[in-house]
Amino acid sequence: MLTVLIWCFLVPMTAQSASCPLELIPKRVVERHGASLSVLCRPTTTSAEPDVIGWESPIGKWNLNMPDNKSVTWNVENFEDWTFEPFCFGTFSDNQCSVTLPITLYKTPDTVSISVQNHSGPLQEGRSYTLQCDVFNVAPVAALTVSWLWKGEMIQTQTYDDDLTKTPENVSSTWEITAFRNDSNDMITCLTILDPKQDGPSEQVNKSAAYQVIVHYAPKFTDEYDSVEVVTGGNVSFGCSAEGNPPPEVKCKYTVAINARETTRGRQHTVSITRATSANGGIYNCVATNTVGTATRQITLTITPLGIDCRVIIN
């Protein structure tokens, strides 16, 4: 008749051997932290039936399975021990042996965030920056992959070689970028993939954070002409348009005249002159300024005299 021993009276087992005729179903457990577990231990063959079979575990409960009492199931609710691994033991006519149950508990990150090292606020064109993706309270980190995505492409991927640590950790990944104006308003994503069942059925858990790239750059004039002509007494309008981030303030410096006025619409600054005279001729200096820098541009206004119509009358 089969004798059952509870774990606290178990005599010391011999070293675990690959030839131990016990099997666990499942062979290993990969579950979320706090999940309920149920694992069956039974002989591998009917010819190797144990005299005693049971689980060594102070956590949970184990019960012999009726009617033959040749297998035993370990059950635990809300399993939260990151490092504990129980084992199933058997006493046979010629030896004692045990099989350990590998358990991997996993936990998704509490948060994923992106920041810029040693910098706050918008980026400045032409400068290099280090973006940092922080992943908080995740386990196991050996099953974690952190990827950087930009403009729809995967730019960089990082894994973590830490097979020994089972408890939650904080980890980070960095990526170097150089800021350009064409990148402004782009989104950069830090994607985390936790795949604890790497040698079994896939169970990927994704979590990500996004960072909007804002690039500040100095003003640049978009007009191409640098000279304007008008006949004496004529009307003329000309001006300067500049782009930049933040949007620049554009002004025009010239000799003030009562027949000249200025208007601004968006990034376009316009000087309008009515009934031009020679006093309006000269150089008009456009200045565009924002917090990053200043740009200047000159426009030369030439006043052309009206032509003289000479007629000779012969008597």
Side-chain angles (χ1 to χ4, degrees):
M1 182 178 69
L2 185 68
T3 303
V4 179
L5 299 178
I6 61 174
W7 72 271
C8 58
F9 297 109
L10 179 64
V11 296
M13 293 290 103
T14 58
Q16 180 174 329
S17 170
S19 62
C20 185
L22 295 175
E23 65 176 349
L24 304 179
I25 301 175
K27 294 181 178 180
R28 64 188 296 260
V29 171
V30 180
E31 288 291 350
R32 286 182 178 271
H33 182 257
S36 296
L37 309 182
S38 180
V39 182
L40 172 68
C41 178
R42 68 184 183 184
T44 55
T45 65
T46 56
S47 60
E49 294 182 356
D51 297 323
V52 179
I53 187 172
W55 282 91
E56 171 75 9
S57 174
I59 302 174
K61 298 178 180 180
W62 56 269
N63 301 292
L64 287 169
N65 297 315
M66 304 299 289
D68 53 11
N69 292 339
K70 295 178 182 179
S71 63
V72 61
T73 300
W74 176 64
N75 297 288
V76 60
E77 296 183 0
N78 193 31
F79 188 73
E80 296 181 332
D81 194 314
W82 294 98
T83 59
F84 178 72
E85 292 184 343
F87 62 84
C88 177
F89 63 85
T91 300
F92 301 86
S93 59
D94 56 348
N95 76 314
Q96 291 178 320
C97 64
S98 63
V99 179
T100 299
L101 173 66
I103 299 178
T104 299
L105 295 183
Y106 67 88
K107 179 187 177 302
T108 58
D110 288 344
T111 57
V112 179
S113 63
I114 300 178
S115 60
V116 183
Q117 289 185 358
N118 304 316
H119 181 81
S120 62
L123 311 183
Q124 189 163 322
E125 186 176 38
R127 294 186 179 180
S128 295
Y129 299 89
T130 299
L131 299 184
Q132 179 169 312
C133 178
D134 291 305
V135 186
F136 297 95
N137 209 25
V138 59
V141 295
L144 180 69
T145 300
V146 178
S147 301
W148 292 89
L149 289 81
W150 189 29
K151 299 181 185 294
E153 297 183 3
M154 188 171 292
I155 305 300
Q156 178 178 296
T157 297
Q158 182 172 347
T159 56
Y160 301 86
D161 186 14
D162 190 355
D163 292 328
L164 299 178
T165 303
K166 292 185 174 183
T167 54
E169 294 183 84
N170 300 332
V171 296
S172 62
S173 175
T174 59
W175 178 39
E176 303 285 336
I177 67 167
T178 301
F180 295 101
R181 65 185 63 192
N182 292 338
D183 301 330
S184 202
N185 296 318
D186 282 352
M187 300 299 295
I188 295 177
T189 301
C190 175
L191 174 66
T192 65
I193 298 178
L194 188 65
D195 190 10
K197 296 185 178 180
Q198 296 176 358
D199 59 350
S202 177
E203 186 167 342
Q204 293 189 350
V205 183
N206 300 343
K207 198 164 187 177
S208 63
Y211 172 78
Q212 185 176 22
V213 179
I214 302 296
V215 180
H216 280 185
Y217 50 91
K220 180 181 178 181
F221 286 103
T222 58
D223 311 283
E224 296 183 356
Y225 64 89
D226 57 9
S227 63
V228 179
E229 292 187 16
V230 65
V231 297
T232 302
N235 300 332
V236 63
S237 293
F238 57 91
C240 304
S241 181
E243 63 176 14
N245 194 24
E249 180 184 10
V250 182
K251 294 182 178 181
C252 195
K253 299 179 180 180
Y254 59 95
T255 303
V256 178
I258 61 173
N259 62 338
R261 63 183 180 89
E262 298 178 67
T263 57
T264 299
R265 290 184 178 179
R267 300 177 182 178
Q268 177 70 43
H269 188 84
T270 302
V271 177
S272 299
I273 298 175
T274 56
R275 297 180 181 180
T277 67
S278 58
N280 297 123
I283 295 176
Y284 291 70
N285 292 298
C286 290
V287 180
T289 304
N290 65 9
T291 56
V292 182
T294 299
T296 59
R297 176 171 173 265
Q298 290 185 339
I299 300 176
T300 301
L301 176 61
T302 302
I303 310 299
T304 304
L306 289 171
I308 302 176
D309 184 10
C310 297
R311 299 182 181 181
V312 179
I313 301 176
I314 302 176
N315 291 325

